[in-house]
């Protein structure tokens, strides 16, 4: 499937104070193509996606584009305000800085 062909760009770096930072980026054009393919499949099978789906996708793409332009070094997911929205919890005995991937 095309979804398995999307190649993420993974970046891992260590800071001077010992923290390990990582980022995961996807090619915007590949993601856009997959979303268009999803819309095509739904239409070909007589399904109609809610209008809100299209609006949500467009807003997320706009947000990502503007974020890359206006704040290329900003990691939104590491922002405490965003992390708290996801209900992420730190494992017992670990500090927040020790949590690298919370799956």
């Amino acid at each position: 499937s095309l979804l398995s062909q999307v190649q993420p760009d993974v970046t891992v770096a260590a800071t001077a104070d010992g923290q390990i930072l990582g980022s995961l980026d996807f090619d915007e054009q590949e993601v856009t193509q997959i979303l268009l393919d999803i819309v095509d499949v739904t239409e070909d099978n007589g399904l109609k996606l809610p209008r809100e789906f299209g609006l949500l996708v467009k807003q997320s793409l706009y947000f990502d584009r503007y974020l890359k332009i206006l704040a290329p070094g900003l990691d939104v997911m590491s922002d405490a305000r965003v992390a708290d929205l996801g209900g992420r919890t730190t494992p017992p005995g670990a500090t927040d800085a020790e949590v690298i991937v919370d799956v």
Side-chain angles (χ1 to χ4, degrees):
S1 84
L2 290 176
L3 187 57
S4 64
Q5 295 176 1
V6 174
Q7 295 296 315
D9 295 324
V10 179
T11 306
V12 178
T15 62
D17 62 355
Q19 285 187 329
I20 298 175
L21 305 173
S23 68
L24 185 63
D25 293 314
F26 294 93
D27 181 20
E28 184 178 318
Q29 292 171 337
E30 288 179 340
V31 173
T32 301
Q33 186 58 50
I34 288 175
L35 291 170
L36 291 173
D37 291 344
I38 290 172
V39 171
D40 288 343
V41 168
T42 59
E43 288 176 352
D44 291 346
N45 289 288
L47 300 172
K48 183 174 178 177
L49 293 170
R51 181 174 182 260
E52 292 79 6
F53 176 79
L55 294 173
L56 178 65
V57 169
K58 284 171 63 174
Q59 289 304 312
S60 64
L61 292 173
Y62 289 147
F63 178 75
D64 186 56
R65 182 177 301 145
Y66 293 137
L67 185 64
K68 287 178 183 177
I69 293 169
L70 299 173
L74 179 65
D75 181 8
V76 175
M77 298 314 290
S78 69
D79 187 293
R81 295 168 292 190
V82 174
D84 291 342
L85 290 175
R88 184 181 67 150
T89 58
T90 303
T95 65
D96 204 33
E98 292 172 327
V99 177
I100 297 173
V101 178
D102 185 10
V103 180

